Amino acid sequence: QLALGEVYMAVGQPRLAQGFFLKVLRQSEREDWVQKISRLTGDPYKATRLTPDYVQVFDLSTAAGRVAFTAFVDDNNEIYVMDIEEKKEKRLTFNDTSDYTPALSYDGKKVVYVSLIRWRNSNDEIFLMDLEKETAVRLTSNTVTDGNPTFSADGKWIAFESTRTGANSEIYIMDVDGKNQKQLTDTGTNNHSPAFSPDGKHIAFAAYAIDAAYGVSSQICMIDVNGENFRKLTDDEALNANPSFSPDGKQIVFDSYRDGDAEIVIMDTDGKNQTQLTNNEYINIDPVFTPDGKGIFFIGQQDRSENLGVYMMDLEAPFGKEEIIKRIEAWTE
């Protein structure tokens, strides 16, 4: 019955799947079956919005009880930081140019981000801000785009992407003061959104390629910090992007368009056990684990009419069987 329901869902016939799923839920107490049906029919976890709907939010980072994000305010993109427990927001940048893609250091005391430099050919450069002093220093200076910076767990390195070698974007690494900038990838693809493993030995990133048959796709890949041992963790025709490691280094969460919508997916760091954590028609992107690893922050919406905001799902609080039964019964209402 479960398999038949899954087949009908796969071919776009949820009403035909409804009866099979309801029989399974009412006759079985198996938790794995309950959660599989939950994933097939909608979101398996409850999500709570943390930012107000009146502001558009994107780009996300978390560390030490804080969340940093970009918000569109005053006709511009600016960097904010929010205390997770108190839900208090604080604006960090007040520039007449766009600031975005913030990443917090693991101790939550610094943030690295990108700012658009307007001179001749406008380009993105990387800045580092001390959150206690609220002072920023520029780390990169060139005529090309440098973007998506992120800290290593020990705070000694920053990984980022750059187009400085040509048309493709490659992954680079540098000291936290901007010195010793070194290219890590040369794959023939556009490589974006690097993320350090907690032990600092590996970097996950998204590699974009154009295929004549399937168009643009991107895969989650990994490389050692010395630039060796490149491996591909996903292999499909979808856009897979924005990887982030769990605090214990055993899993990676990322966003994917594999079902046609932007969804959150989790997998082991070897690419196995890929599991979709959201399943709805709305946008779910930029996932990062909570500092304790028990939840996931992400950028999303639960209605097309609302602005993108910061949401959190609790991985230890899935929807229960009775809630899923009500969800499926509502299909005929």
Side-chain angles (χ1 to χ4, degrees), residues 62-110:
T62 182
R66 289 175 165 176
V67 173
F69 54 88
T70 305
F72 187 75
V73 293
D74 299 333
D75 296 321
N76 204 5
N77 294 320
E78 302 292 353
I79 306 297
Y80 281 73
V81 66
M82 180 177 69
D83 181 277
I84 295 173
E85 185 174 344
E86 297 182 359
K87 306 292 189 298
K88 290 184 178 179
E89 304 170 12
K90 184 177 182 179
R91 182 172 170 176
L92 299 180
T93 59
F94 296 84
N95 299 322
D96 60 358
T97 186
S98 288
D99 303 297
Y100 34 84
T101 61
L104 289 164
S105 60
Y106 275 55
D107 61 9
K109 295 181 179 180
K110 297 178 180 179

Side-chain angles (χ1 to χ4, degrees), residues 208-265:
Y208 289 74
I210 299 177
D211 185 276
Y214 303 112
V216 178
S217 64
S218 59
Q219 308 305 328
I220 305 301
C221 302
M222 194 184 298
I223 197 168
D224 295 346
V225 292
N226 60 5
E228 298 178 356
N229 195 23
F230 168 83
R231 57 272 199 200
K232 188 185 294 185
L233 303 181
T234 62
D235 189 13
D236 54 47
E237 299 161 8
L239 288 171
N240 302 285
N242 299 310
S244 180
F245 284 87
S246 60
D248 61 9
K250 295 181 179 180
Q251 294 178 301
I252 292 174
V253 67
F254 59 100
D255 56 58
S256 178
Y257 285 79
R258 58 188 58 188
D259 74 347
D261 297 310
E263 307 288 5
I264 307 300
V265 179

Side-chain angles (χ1 to χ4, degrees), residues 25 50 66 69 134 157 170 172 181 191 209 318 328:
L25 291 170
L50 303 181
R66 289 175 165 176
F69 54 88
E134 296 188 21
W157 296 330
E170 301 289 355
Y172 286 74
Q181 297 182 23
N191 302 318
I328 297 173

